[in-house]
Every structure is written in C-alpha cells, then in structure tokens.
Amino acid sequence: HVQLVESGGGSVQAGGSLNLSCVMTGVTHSRYCLGWFRQAPGKEREGVAGMNIGGSTIYARSVEGRFTISTDNAKGTLYLQMNTLKPEDTAMYYCAAARDILRSSRLSPARYNYWGQGTQVTVS
C-alpha cells in the first residue's frame, strides 16, 4: 500500500527558500518514478520536477535552475529544494508516485496514480 505525506510548505518572501519533504511508504520497487506537482487556484495541476529511483531528473522550464528534486532512499523521503522563490510559485504542492513512466512523461499528472494530500506554498 503506497502512502505519501508532504510537509515543509509555508509563507516566504520573494527570493527566499523552502524545502518540501514527502515521506513515502510502500514505494519499494526500483521501477517507481516520483514527481512534484503544483496547482494554483483556478489553474490546472502542472508538473514541477520528476525523477526515477535511479536519479534521472526532469524539470519544468519555469523552475529549472531554482528547484532541485532528490531522494533519501534510506529515509524513504522525497525532497524538493526551492530557491529564489517568486510570487508565481505560489500554489499547493503535491508529491506523486507511479511505476514505469518514460522520462518525457514524468511531468504529466495523468501518468501518476499515487498522490499526497498537498502542502501550501505562498510567496509574497
């Protein structure tokens, strides 16, 4: 049974940083892919960063160079380090997991079938 629980959101000023965490249980198979997504009010959910267990990453252009996705497999935790935050980064952030997603599709929400409950990030 896969369960994902996010934490680390909050309110920061533009230019600040946050580090989101996602504790994962049941994500044990080496073919799992992991992703971070966000959804602002009135907008569709969009992919922010994705990776496979082997460490191959992909980022949305809007966050590349500012955000970093990583895992600590020993702790079963997925991270999203967010630097140089902008007001347009304000959204609910979700982590997600699924098996066997091609790298080119790892930012597509439709490819994921396990989701966390979300953590709010507000940048002013």
Side-chain angles (χ1 to χ4, degrees), residues 53-113:
I53 295 295
S56 175
T57 59
I58 186 170
Y59 295 93
R61 286 187 179 181
S62 59
V63 306
E64 197 157 19
R66 299 189 296 123
F67 291 11
T68 303
I69 186 172
S70 63
T71 60
D72 184 330
N73 291 331
K75 295 182 178 180
T77 303
L78 177 70
Y79 300 99
L80 184 68
Q81 176 66 44
M82 305 186 296
N83 298 326
T84 319
L85 283 161
K86 305 175 181 180
E88 51 264 43
D89 295 318
T90 295
M92 185 72 79
Y93 282 71
Y94 301 88
C95 61
R99 287 175 56 170
D100 299 326
I101 306 175
L102 294 176
R103 184 176 183 273
S104 59
S105 297
R106 287 176 193 158
L107 297 182
S108 173
R111 298 294 186 180
Y112 291 79
N113 52 351

Side-chain angles (χ1 to χ4, degrees), residues 4 10 14 16 18 25 34-35 42 48 61 75 88 99 106 109 117 121-124:
L4 308 174
L18 283 173
T25 55
L34 309 168
V48 174
R61 286 187 179 181
K75 295 182 178 180
E88 51 264 43
R99 287 175 56 170
R106 287 176 193 158
Q117 83 289 349
V121 171
T122 303
V123 185
S124 59

